[in-house]
mmCIF file of all heavy atoms in Angstrom:
data_model
loop_
_atom_site.group_PDB
_atom_site.id
_atom_site.type_symbol
_atom_site.label_atom_id
_atom_site.label_comp_id
_atom_site.label_asym_id
_atom_site.label_seq_id
_atom_site.Cartn_x
_atom_site.Cartn_y
_atom_site.Cartn_z
ATOM 1 N N GLY B 1385 -17.440 5.637 -21.095
ATOM 2 C CA GLY B 1385 -18.457 5.509 -20.065
ATOM 3 C C GLY B 1385 -18.316 4.275 -19.204
ATOM 4 O O GLY B 1385 -19.015 4.125 -18.206
ATOM 5 N N GLN B 1386 -17.418 3.374 -19.576
ATOM 6 C CA GLN B 1386 -17.208 2.153 -18.808
ATOM 7 C C GLN B 1386 -15.985 2.329 -17.913
ATOM 8 O O GLN B 1386 -14.971 2.916 -18.324
ATOM 9 C CB GLN B 1386 -16.972 0.956 -19.744
ATOM 10 C CG GLN B 1386 -18.153 0.571 -20.589
ATOM 11 C CD GLN B 1386 -17.828 -0.603 -21.519
ATOM 12 O OE1 GLN B 1386 -16.679 -0.843 -21.840
ATOM 13 N NE2 GLN B 1386 -18.866 -1.316 -21.940
ATOM 14 N N ASN B 1387 -16.072 1.770 -16.708
ATOM 15 C CA ASN B 1387 -14.884 1.685 -15.869
ATOM 16 C C ASN B 1387 -14.047 0.499 -16.336
ATOM 17 O O ASN B 1387 -14.587 -0.496 -16.852
ATOM 18 C CB ASN B 1387 -15.263 1.460 -14.402
ATOM 19 C CG ASN B 1387 -15.929 2.672 -13.787
ATOM 20 O OD1 ASN B 1387 -16.030 3.725 -14.406
ATOM 21 N ND2 ASN B 1387 -16.395 2.517 -12.559
ATOM 22 N N VAL B 1388 -12.749 0.586 -16.167
ATOM 23 C CA VAL B 1388 -11.865 -0.519 -16.542
ATOM 24 C C VAL B 1388 -10.750 -0.627 -15.518
ATOM 25 O O VAL B 1388 -10.235 0.381 -15.042
ATOM 26 C CB VAL B 1388 -11.291 -0.322 -17.969
ATOM 27 C CG1 VAL B 1388 -10.528 0.986 -18.093
ATOM 28 C CG2 VAL B 1388 -10.429 -1.501 -18.386
ATOM 29 N N THR B 1389 -10.401 -1.865 -15.166
ATOM 30 C CA THR B 1389 -9.357 -2.101 -14.172
ATOM 31 C C THR B 1389 -8.141 -2.730 -14.820
ATOM 32 O O THR B 1389 -8.241 -3.742 -15.508
ATOM 33 C CB THR B 1389 -9.870 -3.001 -13.039
ATOM 34 O OG1 THR B 1389 -10.946 -2.332 -12.370
ATOM 35 C CG2 THR B 1389 -8.764 -3.277 -12.024
ATOM 36 N N LEU B 1390 -6.986 -2.117 -14.574
ATOM 37 C CA LEU B 1390 -5.716 -2.605 -15.085
ATOM 38 C C LEU B 1390 -4.997 -3.359 -13.974
ATOM 39 O O LEU B 1390 -4.920 -2.883 -12.836
ATOM 40 C CB LEU B 1390 -4.850 -1.434 -15.556
ATOM 41 C CG LEU B 1390 -5.141 -0.834 -16.936
ATOM 42 C CD1 LEU B 1390 -6.559 -0.308 -17.014
ATOM 43 C CD2 LEU B 1390 -4.148 0.252 -17.267
ATOM 44 N N SER B 1391 -4.450 -4.499 -14.346
ATOM 45 C CA SER B 1391 -3.809 -5.366 -13.360
ATOM 46 C C SER B 1391 -2.316 -5.080 -13.263
ATOM 47 O O SER B 1391 -1.654 -4.798 -14.267
ATOM 48 C CB SER B 1391 -4.026 -6.825 -13.777
ATOM 49 O OG SER B 1391 -3.167 -7.691 -13.083
ATOM 50 N N CYS B 1392 -1.781 -5.159 -12.042
ATOM 51 C CA CYS B 1392 -0.344 -5.060 -11.812
ATOM 52 C C CYS B 1392 0.021 -5.995 -10.666
ATOM 53 O O CYS B 1392 -0.497 -5.854 -9.554
ATOM 54 C CB CYS B 1392 0.084 -3.643 -11.466
ATOM 55 S SG CYS B 1392 1.852 -3.512 -11.089
ATOM 56 N N GLU B 1393 0.899 -6.952 -10.950
ATOM 57 C CA GLU B 1393 1.340 -7.924 -9.952
ATOM 58 C C GLU B 1393 2.873 -7.962 -9.940
ATOM 59 O O GLU B 1393 3.495 -7.948 -10.994
ATOM 60 C CB GLU B 1393 0.822 -9.317 -10.289
ATOM 61 C CG GLU B 1393 -0.685 -9.428 -10.432
ATOM 62 C CD GLU B 1393 -1.391 -9.583 -9.101
ATOM 63 O OE1 GLU B 1393 -0.760 -10.108 -8.156
ATOM 64 O OE2 GLU B 1393 -2.564 -9.174 -9.004
ATOM 65 N N GLN B 1394 3.453 -8.008 -8.732
ATOM 66 C CA GLN B 1394 4.908 -8.124 -8.648
ATOM 67 C C GLN B 1394 5.279 -9.238 -7.668
ATOM 68 O O GLN B 1394 4.602 -9.434 -6.666
ATOM 69 C CB GLN B 1394 5.550 -6.788 -8.223
ATOM 70 C CG GLN B 1394 4.995 -6.167 -6.959
ATOM 71 C CD GLN B 1394 5.808 -6.430 -5.703
ATOM 72 O OE1 GLN B 1394 6.833 -7.112 -5.725
ATOM 73 N NE2 GLN B 1394 5.351 -5.875 -4.584
#
Side-chain angles (χ1 to χ4, degrees):
Chain B
Q1386 294 178 337
N1387 291 355
V1388 58
T1389 298
L1390 280 60
S1391 165
C1392 177
E1393 303 277 333
Q1394 53 98 359

